[in-house]
Amino acid sequence: MSFSSLNLSPELLKAVQEQGYETPSPVQQQAIPAVLAGKDVMAAAQTGTGKTAGFTLPIIENLIKGKPAGANQVRALILTPTRELAAQVADNVSIYGQYTKLRANVVFGGVKINPQMMKLRAGSDVLVATPGRLLDLYQQNAVKFSQLEVLVLDEADRMLDMGFIRDIKKILSFLPDKRQNLLFSATFSPDIKALAKGFVNNPVEVSVSPSNSTAKTVQQIVVPCDKKKKSKLLSFLIRENDWQQVLVFTKTKHGANRLTRELDSQGIAALAIHGNKSQGARTKALAQFKAGETRVLVATDIAARGLDIDQLPQVVNFELPHVSEDYVHRIGRTGRAGAEGFAISLVCADELKLLEDIEYVIQQHVERKVEPGFEPVNALPSSRAIRPLKAKKPKKPKKNNSVGSQGNNVNSEKKPKLSPRTKPTAHKPRKKAVDKREPNTKKADPYAANR
């Protein structure tokens, strides 16, 4: 199958060909026709499979045929969890829509809001946004949705992980009921399925890979190492393998800053990217990394799904993530679009449980390789056998103890718990002791003390 067989306009085909793409990926083959037909779609695919083009191409195709957006109006709204992902999606819209007259904008927090409000005045055929900034703009009447035709939730599972569920529900409340809904995600957790029930209508389900699977083109290796020697080991690996571009993940912002300073002190150019950095600093760091000016980019999980770097050769987990699924998204930054990638995890003995959880989620043991000269003092124990994944059981409904429920429980209130002192005892209460001594009938002598 080729892109020309998907009924896309010449303008779109020209833009796609200029990017060097000839054959649509599996998720694109299934999603594009469904979106073009105006159907709701739920798509699950691992990162790097072309999900973004899977919805941007057909959305642009459908919008070309309609009327342009009015002042402050939006025709297609794409919600993303992070600023980086919003910028990435907006770049895709700009690239694929470059030969059309569609107007596209992107809005996110961390930057001044007034310039964004100015751009929105002319209307947006496509608006890419993060939930928080979109709500701010809506409250200031800078954006309107009476012309909205399609809504996209991109990386929906990540949005739930980051606590955006309330913002999403608020946004849904002021959108028109009649619209096309597209939900794209790396995984379909029970929470995502629950959200989808009130979001999409009779959706076409697209799934091109098992949930939480890793790309086969990515080679995964675990290097056992003591915690205190991790930074030295990382520096050694960078120099020994002559890595010119490596993405390193840490668990915390402070850890990212600390590792960046250590690498810089050893003559390895490094920059950090995380939530405490301003949007300008994050954008600049990413641009320098892509341009090859910075050798190492140290990131927290906020960047795990928002970075799109062509041909990124390797990813390093300096620390394993607390959430096992984040491992999949971290290493998904390499081996994209069928390219080969390399993912290495520096694991100390304290992280054994995290490693076992990851191996359970991906359903495979990761190869271990001890680096000579960095043998750990505290050996990393062997992983246990991987048990098969089990589907989560639905929660049991709470019993209703109100009067008349099931006809057998008439007391709806729970009895208060008694402290040990107030609990009734099982034996009979003691009888009062009877004094069997003879009563003293003699009167007291008032002069006895003076005798």
Side-chain angles (χ1 to χ4, degrees):
M1 178 183 287
S2 63
F3 279 101
S4 58
S5 64
L6 293 175
N7 297 321
L8 297 176
S9 62
E11 296 90 341
L12 285 177
L13 290 175
K14 181 180 179 181
V16 170
Q17 290 171 359
E18 288 182 355
Q19 296 303 308
Y21 301 130
E22 297 179 357
T23 305
S25 66
V27 66
Q28 293 166 358
Q29 293 177 20
Q30 297 180 52
I32 290 176
V35 179
L36 288 174
K39 298 179 180 178
D40 284 9
V41 173
M42 283 182 63
Q46 62 193 28
T47 56
T49 55
K51 286 183 299 180
T52 305
F55 62 80
T56 55
L57 285 172
I59 285 176
I60 293 172
E61 179 66 32
N62 287 340
L63 292 178
I64 293 174
K65 305 169 185 177
K67 295 181 180 179
N72 294 107
Q73 292 287 348
V74 176
R75 297 175 64 198
L77 174 63
I78 303 173
L79 291 176
T80 69
T82 66
R83 309 168 193 172
E84 284 76 21
L85 186 55
Q88 174 193 323
V89 173
D91 287 342
N92 276 264
V93 173
S94 177
I95 290 170
Y96 296 132
Q98 60 182 306
Y99 298 112
T100 71
K101 295 181 180 180
L102 297 180
R103 289 191 298 268
N105 286 304
V106 57
V107 294
F108 45 72
V111 295
K112 293 182 179 179
I113 196 171
N114 287 337
Q116 295 179 350
M117 295 175 67
M118 296 292 289
K119 290 181 179 180
L120 293 174
R121 287 182 179 179
S124 305
D125 293 300
V126 181
L127 178 63
V128 186
T130 52
R133 177 50 58 95
L134 183 67
L135 287 173
D136 291 341
L137 290 164
Y138 181 77
Q139 290 170 358
Q140 298 187 46
N141 294 319
V143 60
K144 301 176 182 178
F145 297 103
S146 58
Q147 292 184 9
L148 188 75
E149 301 173 28
V150 57
L151 169 65
V152 181
L153 289 189
D154 190 18
E155 300 288 7
D157 51 345
R158 185 63 171 172
M159 278 199 259
L160 295 188
D161 291 342
M162 296 176 68
F164 284 132
I165 183 62
R166 289 185 179 179
D167 289 347
I168 291 172
K169 288 183 177 180
K170 283 183 181 179
I171 293 169
L172 291 176
S173 68
F174 52 68
L175 299 182
D177 294 333
K178 188 178 180 181
R179 64 177 189 269
Q180 185 180 17
N181 301 293
L182 312 177
L183 191 151
F184 282 73
S185 174
T187 60
F188 276 161
S189 64
D191 291 335
I192 286 293
K193 292 179 180 179
L195 172 65
K197 287 182 180 179
F199 173 64
V200 294
N201 301 310
N202 299 319
V204 174
E205 293 192 13
V206 175
S207 182
V208 297
S209 62
S211 177
N212 292 323
S213 65
T214 55
K216 295 180 180 179
T217 56
V218 178
Q219 181 185 1
Q220 304 173 62
I221 289 180
V222 163
V223 179
C225 176
D226 289 330
K227 187 181 295 184
K228 294 182 179 179
K229 292 183 179 180
K230 280 189 177 185
S231 60
K232 290 183 179 179
L233 174 57
L234 177 59
S235 301
F236 171 79
L237 292 173
I238 292 172
R239 289 197 174 96
E240 182 71 13
N241 298 289
D242 194 26
W243 292 341
Q244 296 301 317
Q245 192 179 47
V246 55
L247 178 61
V248 181
F249 283 102
T250 61
K251 286 192 295 189
T252 65
K253 304 168 188 175
H254 297 298
N257 290 334
R258 183 170 56 251
L259 180 58
T260 301
R261 290 192 298 268
E262 291 175 356
L263 292 173
D264 280 332
S265 67
Q266 298 176 40
I268 299 174
L271 289 172
I273 179 172
H274 52 68
N276 279 359
K277 297 282 185 179
S278 67
Q279 184 57 37
R282 288 159 66 171
T283 303
K284 184 179 179 180
L286 182 56
Q288 290 179 354
F289 182 64
K290 286 184 175 181
E293 299 173 8
T294 298
R295 199 170 180 180
V296 180
L297 185 66
V298 184
T300 53
D301 285 308
I302 192 172
R305 305 192 192 190
L307 297 179
D308 187 14
I309 303 163
D310 293 336
Q311 305 301 323
L312 179 63
Q314 50 268 323
V315 167
V316 174
N317 290 303
F318 187 78
E319 297 165 316
L320 293 181
H322 284 300
V323 180
S324 304
E325 288 79 2
D326 284 341
Y327 173 84
V328 179
H329 305 302
R330 283 183 177 189
I331 71 171
R333 299 304 96 201
T334 185
R336 298 173 71 82
E340 293 185 358
F342 183 59
I344 183 170
S345 300
L346 311 184
V347 183
C348 63
D350 293 344
E351 295 175 298
L352 175 63
K353 179 63 168 59
L354 297 176
L355 176 61
E356 290 178 336
D357 290 344
I358 288 169
E359 291 177 330
Y360 169 70
V361 166
I362 65 176
Q363 286 292 286
Q364 69 179 83
H365 282 296
V366 182
E367 178 188 354
R368 300 190 188 194
K369 181 181 178 182
V370 177
E371 190 65 41
F374 292 91
E375 296 85 353
V377 175
N378 301 307
L380 180 64
S382 300
S383 297
R384 63 192 174 196
I386 299 175
R387 57 190 195 281
L389 283 169
K390 292 183 179 179
K392 293 184 178 179
K393 295 181 180 180
K395 294 182 179 179
K396 294 181 179 179
K398 294 182 179 179
K399 292 182 179 179
N400 186 0
N401 293 328
S402 58
V403 177
S405 65
Q406 306 301 326
N408 57 6
N409 192 345
V410 296
N411 187 5
S412 62
E413 294 184 1
K414 292 183 178 180
K415 294 181 179 180
K417 292 184 178 180
L418 300 177
S419 65
R421 292 183 179 179
T422 58
K423 285 184 178 179
T425 55
H427 55 77
K428 296 180 180 180
R430 292 181 179 179
K431 295 181 179 180
K432 290 183 179 181
V434 179
D435 191 352
K436 295 181 179 181
R437 292 177 295 178
E438 292 182 2
N440 186 5
T441 56
K442 294 181 181 181
K443 294 183 180 180
D445 187 354
Y447 302 104
N450 297 328
R451 289 177 183 172

